[in-house]
Amino acid sequence: MSGPYVGLDALPDAVAALRPGAVPQDALEDARHALADTLAAAAYTVTTSATASALANGVDGPGDGPVGVWWTGRRAHLADAAFANAYRVHSSDFDSVHYLSFGHPAAVSLPPLLGLYESGVGDPLCVLVGYVLSVEIMAVLGTTFGAALRAASFHPTVVLGAPASAASCTWFLGGGARAIRWAMAYAASITIGFDAHFGSEIKPLQVAACARAGLHAAQLAVGRSRTGPRMPWYAPVATLAGAGSTQPAPQLHVFGQPWAARVVPTRCKSLPICGYFDPVLAAWADRPAGLPEPGAVQRVTVEGPEYLVRANRFIHPTTLDEARFSLPFLVALLLHHREVTPADCVPARLADRGFRRTMAAVDVMPAAAGDPGVIRVFSRDREWSLPLRPLASCPRTSWSRLQTKLAASGLADRASEIVAHVRAFETSTPTRWRALVSPFEEATT
């Protein structure tokens, strides 16, 4: 199998050879953005019903370990904290995405990396570099296998994120190429996720298990010298993608050439919905004046590319988790509220009869091959066309937008403090970090 995938065979060596000073500042800035966004997503979950569900299922660990479960005041052992934090980060689908990586690298890499750091391993710069590594590895895998995995109904964040998180954690722990290769092979062989569970609590549990698996693989790999894996480390991923011995398409991304953050920066969401819906939000931002009120709208048609239509999993959502993967829900929000905020994404919308009538008037269909798509809004005597933009052209993240997101996530009193801390993260200490992610009352005591 190694013949067609020479670049993947050499990936652990490239990871092991990386030195923090070789990572460009713009890639590190992208990592800082992802870190702040990850804190916002975790805090947002604490303010929603997802938190109660997480506690009910016992993902918080025993509560007596050295690593904090962010914003809760609870402490857990390292693996339990990584699981709990990853679960919280991803449970509302408010966490960042990186489109070249086909998923959510922050959710699977930052909880274990930050847990290791808080427990006294490594330094802040290496946390940021660890995120960059995860993005790079997932981007290489994503451009090789991502489309096939998605078409086969696998969850790319989990399938690609497991070896990426294992590699970044092993690098963070000081492991060499041999350990990195073993950890990636182990994590890739035990982690799987299906997109059939999108819109349910199983989706964030997949991500949480992936983060914990990456950490565990790294700890095993550096614990003692191990013989190399019998198969190429990426063999499970290739098998799931249906690649087998088939020659893959030419890779579109090579580790660090260029850096993935320079191709497509990390996308920090403005709403807790599926990231593939970003083109709809961008089209709405470009909307012309004079769109009718919801009551005057007779029909809305969304014509989108394959990934957008596939992400629209619920035509008639009954829960907020399902609504995060429903284009009718998003379009109805945009029509009813014009300028939508996270506070508008609440279960009460689903019980509103007028809102559901608007949802029922939304149709979703595939666009012509190669066409980016369009939203068509029909009233009795007029039609409006809102062209969709490619994912990569959606608005980029800024510190002001992140501060707004932190405030909307229940951290209004601490948004400025968090942004300042993350922007200067290289000067942080485990004690300062622990205080930063404590509940507000604890941090000010």
Side-chain angles (χ1 to χ4, degrees), residues 197-219:
H197 297 300
F198 286 11
S200 76
E201 191 176 49
I202 295 176
K203 182 174 188 275
L205 286 171
Q206 292 175 355
V207 169
C210 174
R212 183 168 58 188
L215 172 65
H216 186 221
Q219 291 172 317

Side-chain angles (χ1 to χ4, degrees), residues 22 30 41 71 77 80 96-97 145 152 168 174 185 192 234 258 308 336 342 367 428:
D30 188 67
W71 313 122
H77 295 297
D80 294 320
S96 62
V97 296
F145 302 118
S168 65
I192 191 172
Y234 50 83
L308 187 66
H336 278 256
S428 183

Side-chain angles (χ1 to χ4, degrees), residues 317 320 323 326-333 344-346 349-350 355 359:
L320 188 56
S326 171
L327 275 172
F329 177 80
L330 175 59
V331 171
L333 276 180
D344 296 311
C345 300
V346 293
R349 300 287 176 266
L350 297 169
F355 191 86
M359 289 176 57

Side-chain angles (χ1 to χ4, degrees), residues 331-378:
V331 171
L333 276 180
L334 296 173
L335 287 170
H336 278 256
H337 297 282
R338 302 293 172 165
E339 301 298 334
V340 181
T341 70
D344 296 311
C345 300
V346 293
R349 300 287 176 266
L350 297 169
D352 184 279
R353 291 185 178 181
F355 191 86
R356 295 204 72 91
R357 280 196 297 271
T358 303
M359 289 176 57
V362 179
D363 296 315
V364 180
M365 60 187 65
D371 189 337
V374 65
I375 305 171
R376 304 188 192 280
V377 181
F378 300 89

